[in-house]
Amino acid sequence: MTEPMETPGGDDYLATLAGIVSDVSDAARQVAAAQITELRVLAAAGRLAEEQAAPRNAKVRLHDMALRSIAAEVGGVLRATDRTVQRRIGEARTIIEGFPAAVVEWESGRIVREHVRAIVDAGTTLPAEMWGEFEAIAIERCERDTPNRVRGELEILALRMHPRTFAERHEEAAASRCVRLVPGRDGMSDLIATLPTVIAEGIHDRLTQQARAIVDTREERAAGGGEAAEVVATDARTTDQVRADVFADLLLAGTPALDDTRDTSAGPLGAIRARVQVLVPAKTLTGDDDGPCDLGGRSAIDSASARTLAGDTSVWERLFHDPTTGVTVSTDSYRVPSRMRRSLQARDQHCRFPGCRVAAIRCEVDHTHDHALGGRTELSNLAHLCQRHHSMKQFTRWRVRQLTGGVLEWTSPLGRTYREDAPTPAVAFTPAATSSGSDAPF
């Protein structure tokens, strides 16, 4: 007869474990209560904006401006961008108002947050009038199993309940196809294309076939010996790396290149013809520094890529700081002169609303004190704002004034103030080594 395994630590161990489990349970209930409270508050913020809904003019809806303003006010407290808060407000309203029974079950502890997320993700693929029917069936299923196990079943349930055919819904979904850029680390980013599955599979298959052809060619040359084998021996790329290089070649140059893109030529960088904003320190251009360069408003890129882009640029607009006349700082016209605009881009680097990182080249130059109300076109009265925050400044009760040094002081509708300091300058000036009187680069 097998003796029962002795419990480690005996009664003291069990008592301690029971206390830990009880504490975890209490903490989980407290966290759930706080999360539900936050969702209800955010949903209330969305309803407040909706109550203000009324056409203000032909171009701007008051509801949208009110929602942006409220999101910015809440974002100042949460230390989050107004875009993030506005998205969370929308999600909160969907959960609280669209699936109230699931929230009640979550609050009672019969299901958890991940169950609610699975219910909402699957349920929102259905017409809103069917959410209640779907919710009742989904809750019953969720109470019996973990979120990971029920997610797939809920998706299938929603597909079967949907009144429209899958073909009809796919045609509609295809209209949302897009390409997104997600900045990563160490000078890398993810380029994500949302496409119909058959197209996406076809693209991946073609890339795989071309990558395999390149790998096979490399192996054949290596087996053949001679000078070609020596060159091929330096190519240690994996299939994934070759597939990524072919992808870049096809998009940038139109045709795949069999040779290694890591040689002294520009490689795929040489095919870039898009307009980008890159802040490159002077020492990086000369090769004296290999630190990261700033791809304005997005992420860092490596110094070698920055030098390649700079070297292949056919037109350079050099800015000069004249020690006698100084940089253009003011004009009598509304239009911002190109030299002043470039100076502002170097100063601002991105949208100057707190937390926003839209690159300056994608923004509008705004007169802090409106030009129509007497504001001058001068550096101390100009700043870059993206279209979203430019509209907020115009059509909501958010106000801004510009202090010395390009510092912007924003005041929310509730009277909270937020200081947006000018970004750290990308360049600095030092006295010239000679007294020739030549212009110093700006």
Side-chain angles (χ1 to χ4, degrees):
M1 181 176 179
T2 304
E3 293 293 333
M5 182 178 296
E6 184 178 353
T7 302
D11 293 340
D12 290 342
Y13 165 79
L14 292 177
T16 302
L17 178 59
I20 291 174
V21 171
S22 177
D23 290 344
V24 168
S25 178
D26 290 342
R29 283 194 293 269
Q30 293 172 15
V31 169
Q35 291 171 337
I36 294 170
T37 298
E38 182 183 59
L39 286 174
R40 286 175 171 157
V41 171
L42 290 176
R47 290 191 295 272
L48 177 62
E50 189 171 298
E51 291 171 2
Q52 309 301 314
R56 182 165 184 169
N57 58 42
K59 295 182 178 180
V60 181
R61 294 181 62 239
L62 180 58
H63 169 236
D64 186 52
M65 289 298 107
L67 185 57
R68 292 185 189 184
S69 180
I70 291 172
E73 188 82 67
V74 175
V77 176
L78 297 180
R79 298 293 184 91
T81 67
D82 56 294
R83 288 183 176 88
T84 298
V85 174
Q86 186 170 336
R87 174 180 55 78
R88 289 173 60 182
I89 287 174
E91 292 173 349
R93 293 199 67 182
T94 299
I95 295 171
I96 296 298
E97 299 170 14
F99 298 86
V103 175
V104 171
E105 295 297 302
W106 176 18
E107 198 167 24
S108 69
R110 285 188 285 272
I111 62 177
V112 297
R113 181 181 186 178
E114 289 71 21
H115 282 126
V116 176
R117 173 52 59 193
I119 293 172
V120 173
D121 287 347
T124 49
T125 64
L126 294 167
E129 60 269 18
M130 299 184 66
W131 288 0
E133 178 185 357
F134 171 83
E135 181 184 30
I137 301 173
I139 289 173
E140 182 180 355
R141 182 66 189 89
C142 286
E143 290 178 341
R144 302 197 304 267
D145 219 328
T146 62
N148 285 341
R149 289 190 174 183
V150 301
R151 182 175 291 275
E153 294 184 31
L154 298 185
E155 292 174 354
I156 296 298
L157 173 63
L159 287 173
R160 290 175 177 172
M161 291 180 63
H162 206 290
R164 300 175 60 200
T165 66
F166 184 80
E168 291 174 333
R169 285 180 286 123
H170 169 71
E171 182 178 356
E172 183 178 290
S176 65
R177 60 191 180 277
C178 62
V179 176
R180 303 184 304 282
L181 182 65
V182 181
R185 295 181 177 178
D186 300 325
M188 303 295 286
S189 292
D190 293 324
L191 185 65
I192 303 173
T194 300
L195 299 166
T197 299
V198 66
I199 300 297
E201 290 282 357
I203 290 173
H204 189 269
D205 181 66
R206 187 182 183 201
L207 289 174
T208 300
Q209 291 184 39
Q210 292 179 334
R212 286 175 178 170
I214 292 174
V215 172
D216 291 344
T217 300
R218 181 177 65 191
E219 293 175 350
E220 291 174 4
R221 290 178 179 175
E227 183 178 349
E230 294 180 4
V231 174
V232 171
T234 64
D235 187 356
R237 291 178 296 170
T238 65
T239 300
D240 276 339
Q241 290 171 335
V242 174
R243 185 160 39 211
D245 291 343
V246 171
F247 177 76
D249 288 339
L250 285 171
L251 287 180
L252 294 175
T255 56
L258 292 180
D259 56 319
D260 197 334
T261 61
R262 295 176 292 121
D263 57 15
T264 57
S265 65
L269 293 177
I272 291 179
R273 293 294 180 269
R275 185 185 179 205
V276 295
Q277 176 183 334
V278 184
L279 303 178
V280 187
K283 286 188 176 181
T284 299
L285 285 178
T286 61
D288 294 333
D289 180 80
D290 283 328
C293 301
D294 182 17
L295 183 62
R298 288 196 176 269
S299 60
I301 64 172
D302 64 287
S303 57
S305 296
R307 283 193 289 269
T308 298
L309 290 172
D312 286 348
T313 299
S314 60
V315 178
W316 272 89
E317 291 184 334
R318 294 199 302 167
L319 305 180
F320 293 90
H321 174 69
D322 190 317
T324 302
T325 62
V327 178
T328 303
V329 296
S330 179
T331 180
D332 292 331
S333 66
Y334 173 81
R335 186 183 66 85
V336 180
S338 60
R339 291 182 62 188
M340 185 185 295
R341 185 181 296 271
R342 293 195 295 268
S343 177
L344 282 168
Q345 287 180 351
R347 186 197 74 180
D348 291 347
Q349 301 180 35
H350 51 69
C351 172
R352 297 296 308 285
F353 189 85
C356 187
R357 290 284 295 170
V358 175
I361 59 173
R362 312 296 181 199
C363 294
E364 303 162 355
V365 177
D366 170 67
H367 287 71
T368 306
H369 178 53
D370 291 350
H371 186 268
L373 300 178
R376 292 179 56 81
T377 304
E378 55 189 7
L379 291 178
S380 59
N381 190 49
L382 299 173
H384 283 87
L385 297 179
C386 67
Q387 191 280 329
R388 174 188 179 87
H389 294 125
H390 197 176
S391 296
M392 275 183 54
K393 174 179 175 289
Q394 290 179 296
F395 300 108
T396 75
R397 286 185 289 178
W398 277 86
R399 295 293 177 260
V400 61
R401 67 190 184 106
Q402 189 160 167
L403 309 180
T404 58
V407 175
L408 298 188
E409 184 179 80
W410 290 85
T411 303
S412 75
L414 292 182
R416 296 176 180 269
T417 58
Y418 303 91
R419 283 171 60 96
E420 174 67 12
D421 295 339
T424 302
V427 294
F429 304 102
T430 58
T434 65
S435 57
S436 60
S438 60
D439 292 341
F442 176 78

